[in-house]
C-alpha cells in the first residue's frame, strides 16, 4: 500500500475511535468485463461521516442495531452509503454481523455500483469483511456481477471471490469458479475454468474494420 | 483444373466476423489492467463459427480507447472496456504452447501464432504444418491475411534452423478434384 494511503489509513483509524457505536468500512465491488476493461475497486477507508441506527437493544450480551445506516466519502471524496437490516455486535467488541447489506458506492468518476449481500461479518481488528450467501453488484455503466461469497481484506484492498462468478458487461459474459482481485482492482485472476463469450453486437465495430471478401 | 495446390495459398475462414459470437475458454484468466494485458492459460480454446484456435496460452494485448476519458464516446453504450468491442480495442494476440488453428477445411499447427489486429495479419512460426484433407505442407512461417484468407507458407527466408525447403506432400486425391473449396 502506498505510503500516502498508509498515513491516511492511520488518520482514519484514529478518527474512527470517536465513532463508538458502529464502524463499518465499506467495500465496493464492481468489476468491469475483463479484457481491455477498466477494472476499479474502491475500498473506502475513511471513516463514515454519519452513522444512524433506528433502534438498538441489548440481547444476551449482544448489541443489536436495527437498520444501521452509514454514509461517507471514499478516499477519492466520492459518496458511499451502506445500509443493513440489522447489525449485531457482541458487547465485548469483536466483529459485527450484518444482515441484508445494501451499499451504493462510486466505482469510477461517472459510475456507481449497487451492491447487495445477504449477510456479512466485519472484523475491524483485522480489517476484513466476509460477505456470504450471495452477492450481486450492478453498476450504472452496465456491469452486473454475481458471486456466492467474498472475503475482502480492507487493509490490503484485495478480495477473494467464490464462484460461481458471473460477470456481464455490454455484450460480454465471463464465468469462472473463483475470482481474486488485488491491487485495488487492477489485477484480476479468474480460476477454475473460465468461460468468456462475446456476443456479435460488440464485434460489429471490431469486425467492420475488416470485412471478409467472401 | 486446380489440383488442390491452393494449400498454403488460401486459408479461408480465418476472418473475424461481426455476426458470430466468440467463445473463449481456459483454465485460468489473469487480467493486468495496469499494463492492459490479459492472459488466458491452461488449454485455451477460442471458437467463432467454424474457426477454432487452441493453444496452451493466449495473451491479449489491448489498448485503452483514448476517448474513454470522458470525451464523447463513439460507441453509444459506453460500456466499460471489453474484449474485443466495448471502448478498448485489442492490439494483438499471441498464442503459444502448441498452437492449433482450424478453419473450415484446413488445419495449421505451429509453436507460436501472432494476430496483429492493426495489420490484420496472422503469423504462425516454428514447425508450421498445414494440412488440408490428405495434403500436408510444412515450413517455418505461415502468414495469413485475416480479411482475405490469403496465406503464404515460407521456408527459405526464415532462419537457419530447418534446411529451408518446403516439404509439400501432395497425395493425388482419389476423388481427383479435392481442391478444397
Amino acid at each position: 500500500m502506498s505510503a500516502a494511503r498508509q498515513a491516511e489509513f492511520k488518520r482514519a483509524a484514529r478518527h474512527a475511535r470517536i465513532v463508538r457505536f458502529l464502524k463499518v468500512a465499506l467495500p465496493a465491488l464492481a468489476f468491469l468485463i475483463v479484457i481491455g476493461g477498466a477494472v476499479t475497486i474502491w475500498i473506502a477507508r475513511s471513516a463514515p461521516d454519519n452513522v444512524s441506527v433506528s433502534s438498538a437493544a441489548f440481547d444476551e450480551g449482544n448489541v443489536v442495531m436495527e437498520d444501521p445506516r452509514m454514509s461517507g466519502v471514499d478516499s477519492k471524496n466520492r459518496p458511499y452509503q451502506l445500509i443493513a437490516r440489522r447489525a449485531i455486535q457482541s458487547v465485548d467488541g469483536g466483529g459485527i454481523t450484518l444482515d441484508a447489506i445494501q451499499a451504493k458506492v462510486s466505482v469510477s468518476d461517472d459510475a456507481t455500483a449497487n451492491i447487495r449481500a445477504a449477510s456479512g461479518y466485519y472484523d475491524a481488528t483485522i480489517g476484513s469483511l466476509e460477505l456470504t450467501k450471495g452477492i450481486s453488484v450492478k453498476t450504472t455503466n452496465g456491469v452486473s456481477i454475481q458471486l456466492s461469497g467474498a472475503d475482502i481484506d480492507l487493509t490490503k484492498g484485495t478480495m477473494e471471490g467464490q464462484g460461481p462468478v458471473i460477470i456481464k458487461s455490454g455484450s460480454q459474459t465471463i464465468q469462472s469458479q473463483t475470482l481474486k482481485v488485488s491491487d485495488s482492482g487492477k489485477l484480476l485472476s479468474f480460476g477454475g475454468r473460465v468461460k468468456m463469450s462475446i456476443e456479435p453486437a460488440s464485434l460489429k465495430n471490431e469486425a467492420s474494420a475488416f470485412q471478409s471478401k467472401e | 483444373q486446380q489440383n488442390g495446390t491452393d494449400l498454403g495459398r488460401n486459408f479461408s475462414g480465418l476472418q473475424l466476423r461481426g455476426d458470430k459470437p466468440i467463445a473463449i475458454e481456459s483454465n485460468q484468466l489473469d487480467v493486468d489492467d495496469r499494463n492492459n494485458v490479459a492472459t488466458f492459460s491452461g488449454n485455451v480454446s477460442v471458437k467463432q463459427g467454424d474457426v477454432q484456435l487452441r493453444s496452451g496460452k493466449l495473451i491479449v494485448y489491448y489498448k485503452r480507447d483514448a476517448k474513454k476519458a470522458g470525451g464523447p464516446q463513439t460507441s453509444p453504450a459506453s460500456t466499460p472496456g471489453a474484449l474485443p468491442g466495448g471502448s478498448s480495442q485489442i492490439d494483438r494476440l499471441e498464442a503459444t504452447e502448441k498452437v492449433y488453428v482450424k478453419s473450415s477445411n484446413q488445419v495449421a499447427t505451429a509453436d507460436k501464432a501472432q494476430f496483429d489486429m492493426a495489420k490484420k495479419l496472422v503469423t504462425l512460426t516454428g514447425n508450421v504444418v498445414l494440412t488440408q484433407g490428405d495434403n500436408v505442407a510444412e515450413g517455418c512461417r505461415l502468414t495469413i491475411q485475416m480479411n482475405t484468407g490469403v496465406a503464404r507458407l515460407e521456408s527459405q527466408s526464415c532462419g537457419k534452423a530447418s534446411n529451408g525447403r518446403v516439404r509439400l506432400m501432395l497425395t493425388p486425391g482419389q476423388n481427383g478434384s479435392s481442391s478444397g473449396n
Side-chain angles (χ1 to χ4, degrees):
Chain A
M1 214 175 23
S2 66
R5 202 172 289 172
Q6 259 157 355
E8 185 207 354
F9 184 68
K10 287 202 185 66
R11 181 198 59 73
R14 270 194 312 280
H15 173 64
R17 269 190 288 282
I18 304 160
V19 180
R20 281 178 320 283
F21 215 59
L22 176 71
K23 174 183 174 296
V24 175
L26 183 72
L29 308 181
F31 310 102
L32 312 179
I33 281 275
V34 179
I35 293 170
V39 174
T40 49
I41 289 199
W42 299 97
I43 301 215
R45 290 223 182 69
S46 54
D49 294 346
N50 47 57
V51 176
S52 73
V53 174
S54 67
S55 75
F58 284 95
D59 168 12
E60 301 147 9
N62 285 330
V63 177
V64 178
M65 297 151 266
E66 293 303 328
D67 72 66
R69 275 169 199 281
M70 189 188 70
S71 59
V73 285
D74 66 15
S75 48
K76 292 220 163 176
N77 238 319
R78 293 178 308 202
Y80 69 80
Q81 192 217 359
L82 170 99
I83 59 177
R85 195 175 47 233
R86 190 177 317 113
I88 303 158
Q89 183 173 25
S90 68
V91 174
D92 48 27
I96 300 166
T97 309
L98 295 152
D99 287 346
I101 298 166
Q102 278 177 30
K104 201 163 183 305
V105 288
S106 338
V107 290
S108 69
D109 295 342
D110 46 22
T112 58
N114 290 306
I115 303 160
R116 284 188 194 308
S119 79
Y121 179 75
Y122 168 70
D123 184 338
T125 50
I126 51 173
S128 78
L129 176 67
E130 268 165 62
L131 298 175
T132 51
K133 302 199 189 79
I135 304 165
S136 94
V137 180
K138 291 233 173 350
T139 74
T140 48
N141 54 10
V143 179
S144 91
I145 298 143
Q146 255 110 40
L147 297 148
S148 61
D151 298 338
I152 300 152
D153 180 324
L154 296 161
T155 44
K156 291 205 223 83
T158 60
M159 183 207 91
E160 305 232 345
Q162 297 89 28
V165 177
I166 303 167
I167 299 185
K168 287 201 178 63
S169 160
S171 52
Q172 285 135 57
T173 309
I174 287 196
Q175 294 173 312
S176 73
Q177 281 318 306
T178 58
L179 167 58
K180 283 201 187 61
V181 178
S182 53
D183 201 353
S184 294
K186 289 293 177 191
L187 284 176
L188 276 89
S189 291
F190 294 83
R193 200 62 190 164
V194 182
K195 288 197 179 65
M196 175 168 190
S197 73
I198 303 146
E199 285 317 309
S202 81
L203 284 174
K204 280 272 174 317
N205 42 32
E206 182 75 14
S208 58
F210 30 89
Q211 282 319 6
S212 72
K213 305 267 170 321
E214 215 128 352
Chain B
Q1 195 255 359
Q2 238 193 353
N3 54 11
T5 56
D6 73 342
L7 190 62
R9 280 207 310 282
N10 185 306
F11 196 94
S12 62
L14 200 68
Q15 293 102 350
L16 187 67
R17 318 176 78 95
D19 53 359
K20 291 208 179 73
I22 294 183
I24 307 175
E25 270 191 45
S26 66
N27 292 345
Q28 175 81 10
L29 164 60
D30 296 304
V31 180
D32 174 353
D33 203 46
R34 286 242 149 88
N35 307 315
N36 295 347
V37 174
T39 307
F40 291 87
S41 50
N43 78 64
V44 183
S45 143
V46 182
K47 284 202 191 100
Q48 183 187 47
D50 51 23
V51 177
Q52 188 187 17
L53 161 77
R54 285 213 303 270
S55 68
K57 183 189 255 189
L58 175 67
I59 305 172
V60 179
Y61 300 91
Y62 53 88
K63 49 185 186 313
R64 192 55 42 77
D65 179 343
K67 289 181 295 307
K68 202 155 144 29
Q73 296 288 2
T74 48
S75 58
S78 75
T79 48
L83 167 81
S87 58
S88 54
Q89 302 301 330
I90 296 185
D91 210 11
R92 57 189 168 81
L93 304 169
E94 193 179 280
T96 49
E97 292 167 25
K98 283 210 205 69
V99 177
Y100 165 94
V101 181
K102 175 177 154 317
S103 83
S104 42
N105 54 15
Q106 294 184 36
V107 170
T109 57
D111 296 344
K112 185 179 202 178
Q114 285 173 303
F115 299 74
D116 182 325
M117 296 309 225
K119 296 203 200 84
K120 303 185 202 68
L121 194 67
V122 185
T123 311
L124 277 75
T125 50
N127 307 315
V128 182
V129 177
L130 183 58
T131 40
Q132 180 185 3
D134 314 333
N135 304 331
V136 178
E138 285 171 18
C140 60
R141 186 191 357 247
L142 172 69
T143 48
I144 304 166
Q145 265 298 334
M146 277 164 82
N147 45 9
T148 58
V150 168
R152 202 161 70 82
L153 185 61
E154 296 163 57
S155 57
Q156 285 76 8
S157 62
C158 46
K160 47 217 170 326
S162 69
N163 50 30
R165 274 199 334 286
V166 174
R167 282 191 302 282
L168 192 63
M169 281 162 288
L170 286 179
T171 42
Q174 293 72 7
N175 45 28
S177 66
S178 67
S179 69
N181 43 25

